[in-house]
Amino acid sequence: EYRGELGHVPGSSLVPLSTLLAASRAWSKEQPVVLICRAGGRSGKAAMQLAAAGFKRVASLKGGMLRWIDQALGVELGHIEARQG
C-alpha cells in the first residue's frame, strides 16, 4: 500500500505490522506516533499493540489513507523508506 495507488503521507515511514514491536524498540515512548493504513483497521490494531507496549501518545488515523485522500491533504507516491529498529 505504501507504494501503491493511494500513496503515503509525506514524511511517513513504512513499518509493516509484523515488524512493529521490533521496530518500536528504537522509538521514544513519550513521542507521539500516528499509525496509518488503507482504511484504519490494521493501524487500530497497531495502536493497541504500541499502547500495550507502554507508548503514551499513540493514535490511529480514522479512515486511513482513504480519508486522508478524501480530505485532499496530499500524498507521496513511489519512494519507499523502511523504518526498522
Side-chain angles (χ1 to χ4, degrees):
E1 292 176 3
Y2 191 87
R3 290 184 292 175
E5 64 187 37
L6 295 178
H8 54 272
V9 174
S12 64
S13 298
L14 173 63
V15 181
L17 184 57
S18 63
T19 65
L20 179 66
L21 292 179
S24 71
R25 290 185 192 120
W27 307 343
S28 167
K29 292 184 177 182
E30 304 300 323
Q31 292 296 313
V33 178
V34 178
L35 299 137
I36 307 166
C37 67
R38 176 175 168 68
R42 281 171 289 139
S43 60
K45 291 177 185 177
M48 288 190 292
Q49 287 182 9
L50 289 182
F55 282 78
K56 309 289 185 215
R57 300 171 66 194
V58 179
S60 170
L61 181 65
K62 184 177 180 178
M65 284 304 297
L66 295 174
R67 183 165 184 213
W68 185 270
I69 290 167
D70 186 55
Q71 298 294 312
L73 296 171
V75 298
E76 285 183 352
L77 298 173
H79 175 75
I80 185 167
E81 173 185 329
R83 184 171 180 180
Q84 302 195 6

